[in-house]
Amino acid sequence: MSTQKIAVIGECMIELSEKGSTVSRGFGGDTLNTSVYIARQVAAQDLSVHYVTALGEDNFSQQMLDAWHSENVDTSLTQRLAGRLPGLYYIETDDTGERTFWYWRNEAAARYWLESDQAAAICDQLANFDYLYLSGISLAILSPQSREKLFTLLRQCRANGGKVIFDNNYRPRLWASQQETQQVYQQMLSCTDIAFLTLDDEDALWGAQPVDEVIARTQAAGVSEVVIKRGSDSCLVAVTGDALVEVPAVKLPQASVVDTTAAGDSFSAGYLSVRLTGGSTAAAAQRGHLTASTVIQYRGAIIPREAMPA
């Protein structure tokens, strides 16, 4: 059996994270977090994880690439763009582990990955992948013209037998308006096979609705597998034609919650590490909860490898 391939599309940024008066530097971004956590939980011969983005030619960008290589994330489709730099974000974390983000990313290299001379050749390769994964942030950082190129790629991949996976990850400050986001998300969902929906983000974008209506709306757009993420509450998995699956979250004492950064990203990674290698939705959701509950007990987006659950 040949190795399946998943391409995770998005942006990695320089991460500055404060703890008291100490500030530490790392790298993170929602899709990068997911790619690392998938790669840590699957055998390379079962699923090859590729990260698709653009970086600069600076030392920070090289350090990112070196770190991804050490995580068994393939970077052959990551571009280096002259005159560009990675974006940067700063995390303030309160006493309960909740965080506030501050961003500097308007000219980040990742915004231009579909506008380079290499973009067409990269899209030709991606159209033949087994899975393409992206988030709402992957869409938000692109120009309208680049988004159309991306949607063309997603449709071509599905026509070739691949599947598209989308995490809603809605960040209002990255969008011109709520109406624009709704239109883009509807277009995205129309070419999505598996959707991860953080319920708080759905409520913020569409207005609070009963969860069964959220699922119905998403399925009506054409999504066959809908995963509802509800933080510390149980998650729900709705596969067209099957009964709704509810899987309880891992309960932690509040004192154990250090930093909720990458909680949703790591849940999606845990879910996919099981689901894309033949596991059931229930087993996938259990792994998602286990991964997320481990990650939030450490500071920063990417926890030490030795801290990963067995």
Side-chain angles (χ1 to χ4, degrees):
M1 183 175 176
S2 61
T3 300
Q4 296 191 100
K5 295 192 294 184
I6 181 172
V8 181
I9 300 169
E11 176 186 27
C12 182
M13 305 176 72
I14 301 167
E15 175 192 278
L16 301 179
S17 179
E18 71 172 35
K19 182 180 181 182
S21 59
T22 302
V23 177
S24 59
R25 179 178 63 79
F27 303 115
D30 63 334
T31 51
L32 186 277
N33 303 335
T34 299
S35 68
V36 168
Y37 287 127
I38 294 174
R40 286 183 177 184
Q41 297 179 88
V42 297
Q45 65 268 26
D46 294 332
L47 185 67
S48 175
V49 181
H50 299 244
Y51 194 58
V52 179
T53 189
L55 297 172
E57 296 179 329
D58 54 286
N59 288 335
F60 291 120
S61 295
Q62 186 59 52
Q63 290 172 31
M64 288 183 187
L65 288 170
D66 293 343
W68 304 345
H69 291 157
S70 73
E71 294 285 356
N72 294 319
V73 174
D74 188 298
T75 63
S76 59
L77 298 179
T78 293
Q79 301 175 64
R80 306 290 296 271
L81 302 182
R84 299 290 180 186
L85 293 169
L88 179 148
Y89 69 101
Y90 190 99
I91 306 174
E92 290 182 319
T93 309
D94 65 20
D95 293 338
T96 68
E98 287 300 319
R99 69 269 197 243
T100 301
F101 292 86
W102 305 93
Y103 291 95
W104 294 263
R105 74 185 332 158
N106 286 346
E107 295 300 318
R111 301 174 71 94
Y112 301 97
W113 80 270
L114 280 160
E115 299 177 18
S116 71
D117 293 339
Q118 308 102 287
I122 290 173
C123 287
D124 285 344
Q125 293 185 62
L126 291 173
N128 291 294
F129 269 55
D130 299 286
Y131 305 101
L132 300 182
Y133 175 102
L134 64 154
S135 76
I137 295 174
S138 308
L139 294 172
I141 65 172
L142 299 178
S143 67
Q145 294 78 13
S146 287
R147 278 187 213 130
E148 286 307 313
K149 293 179 183 178
L150 180 58
F151 288 137
T152 298
L153 164 63
L154 301 181
R155 288 189 288 267
Q156 186 60 55
C157 181
R158 295 182 87 203
N160 291 341
K163 290 189 175 182
V164 173
I165 306 163
F166 177 63
D167 190 312
N168 66 345
N169 219 351
Y170 173 48
R171 298 294 180 266
R173 73 183 71 182
L174 296 179
W175 294 92
S177 69
Q178 188 175 23
Q179 181 182 22
E180 178 196 43
T181 316
Q182 290 175 349
Q183 292 172 345
V184 173
Y185 274 41
Q186 279 297 104
Q187 193 173 358
M188 179 67 220
L189 292 171
S190 72
C191 51
T192 294
D193 297 283
I194 302 174
F196 291 98
L197 306 180
T198 298
L199 192 57
D200 287 346
D201 288 357
E202 284 294 289
D203 290 348
L205 178 58
W206 301 98
Q209 296 177 334
V211 69
D212 59 335
E213 294 184 17
V214 173
I215 292 171
R217 180 183 69 233
T218 308
Q219 289 178 329
V223 181
S224 58
E225 186 166 334
V226 182
V227 184
I228 303 291
K229 298 188 285 187
R230 303 191 292 179
S232 60
D233 292 332
S234 59
C235 74
L236 304 172
V237 184
V239 175
T240 302
D242 294 346
L244 185 70
V245 174
E246 181 171 0
V247 179
V250 176
K251 295 299 182 181
L252 296 174
Q254 185 59 49
S256 297
V257 179
V258 174
D259 184 353
T260 56
T261 303
D265 311 331
S266 58
F267 175 94
S268 299
Y271 185 97
L272 293 173
S273 71
V274 172
R275 190 69 173 136
L276 302 188
T277 54
S280 67
T281 55
Q286 288 168 356
R287 186 68 192 185
H289 282 313
L290 177 61
T291 307
S293 67
T294 302
V295 167
I296 64 176
Q297 296 181 64
Y298 295 83
R299 193 166 298 279
I302 305 295
I303 68 173
R305 186 192 297 268
E306 60 270 18
M308 292 294 295

